[in-house]
Amino acid sequence: RKEVEQDPGPFNVPEGATVAFNCTYSNSASQSFFWYRQDCRKEPKLLMSVYSSGNEDGRFTAQLNRASQYISLLIRDSKLSDSATYLCVVNQGSSNTGKLIFGQGTTLQVKP
Amino acid sequence: ETGVTQTPRHLVMGMTNKKSLKCEQHLGHNAMYWYKQSAKKPLELMFVYNFKEQTENNSVPSRFSPECPNSSHLFLHLHTLQPEDSALYLCASSQPMGLAGGGSTDTQYFGPGTRLTVL
């Protein structure tokens, strides 16, 4: 089983649509969770951290379910500029080692 | 954004060459990282440095040799690479672990990467 698993997609959606990405992780001791965004041929950039209580940043909502070891990202009112690969990222375990494990990424294409 | 810079941006080298990748961060961080991103694969952590000390080597072959002379600079020395080493090499930095508190890992900021092709 992969340490962080994502559906690679691609997800093709029209502008204005709502789209949700899911991610599962294998290490129950993990404590830090993130969504990064990576544009084609660019570096990953932090989109948002994911907190146990769930958090929202504008059109983006992240949820964490520790019991199911599951993380989600919801994008409302999709824009063309949201087209990118979304990386689910989890720290390796309970020790604070700085080791982040990246998922393969889910590709989103927003069409006009 | 120029928080983390990497040079060169592109590099083509033969298997017998020796080259170095450079990373510099201007964010005042004390932790730096090297990652490898191959096509269709997730980012793979290679090395971690905290306060100039290597704290993680993720079973990386010895043909990759990191160097961290100070908290702002990180190098990756390359020698006798193989074609399968062709990839995007990304540097990142963050606040060191411990300062983030509560067992959490602080946000990592990435440089633009060096796209390496080994012939």
Side-chain angles (χ1 to χ4, degrees):
Chain A
R1 183 184 172 186
K2 292 180 185 174
E3 291 183 86
V4 178
E5 200 143 4
Q6 296 181 251
D7 179 349
F11 284 57
N12 295 301
V13 303
E15 270 188 291
T18 295
V19 61
F21 305 140
N22 303 320
C23 167
T24 56
Y25 61 95
S26 61
N27 190 337
S28 60
S30 294
Q31 296 190 26
S32 299
F33 309 91
F34 309 89
W35 283 101
Y36 275 73
R37 169 192 170 133
Q38 187 171 23
D39 291 285
C40 187
R41 304 187 77 81
K42 299 274 190 175
E43 72 274 22
K45 293 186 179 179
L46 179 70
L47 178 66
M48 57 198 305
S49 300
V50 186
Y51 304 116
S52 297
S53 54
N55 47 302
E56 188 174 308
D57 182 2
R59 298 181 293 109
F60 299 84
T61 300
Q63 298 276 357
L64 168 65
N65 183 324
R66 285 185 185 271
S68 302
Q69 294 177 212
Y70 170 97
I71 305 161
S72 66
L73 176 68
L74 183 77
I75 305 176
R76 290 181 299 279
D77 189 24
S78 300
K79 311 290 184 193
L80 295 176
S81 57
D82 293 334
S83 298
T85 297
Y86 291 83
L87 306 173
C88 177
V89 185
V90 175
N91 82 313
Q92 192 189 37
S94 56
S95 61
N96 210 358
T97 63
K99 290 186 71 171
L100 296 182
I101 309 299
F102 285 75
Q104 187 180 359
T106 298
T107 299
L108 172 66
Q109 288 280 354
V110 181
K111 307 285 188 184
Chain B
E1 293 182 21
T2 57
V4 183
T5 58
Q6 288 187 244
T7 55
R9 295 293 306 276
H10 299 272
L11 178 62
V12 179
M13 61 188 285
M15 290 190 284
T16 58
N17 292 159
K18 288 184 181 182
K19 297 286 184 184
S20 295
L21 310 185
K22 179 182 174 182
C23 174
E24 183 173 359
Q25 59 93 2
H26 310 273
L27 300 170
H29 292 159
N30 284 295
M32 296 187 77
Y33 312 79
W34 279 117
Y35 287 87
K36 174 183 178 182
Q37 188 173 33
S38 305
K40 307 292 184 188
K41 285 186 170 183
L43 267 77
E44 299 171 57
L45 179 66
M46 300 175 73
F47 301 103
V48 181
Y49 277 82
N50 279 282
F51 294 98
K52 303 186 297 179
E53 298 297 319
Q54 188 182 120
T55 53
E56 187 73 30
N57 176 338
N58 201 22
S59 303
V60 180
S62 59
R63 57 186 183 270
F64 295 91
S65 174
E67 178 191 0
C68 189
N70 55 61
S71 293
S72 300
H73 293 86
L74 186 64
F75 295 89
L76 188 63
H77 304 300
L78 315 171
H79 64 97
T80 59
L81 294 192
Q82 305 298 312
E84 59 264 30
D85 296 322
S86 298
L88 180 68
Y89 289 85
L90 291 157
C91 173
S93 73
S94 74
Q95 290 291 13
M97 281 53 67
L99 292 188
S104 66
T105 302
D106 209 348
T107 303
Q108 293 183 17
Y109 296 86
F110 285 83
T114 295
R115 192 160 293 280
L116 173 68
T117 302
V118 181
L119 302 176

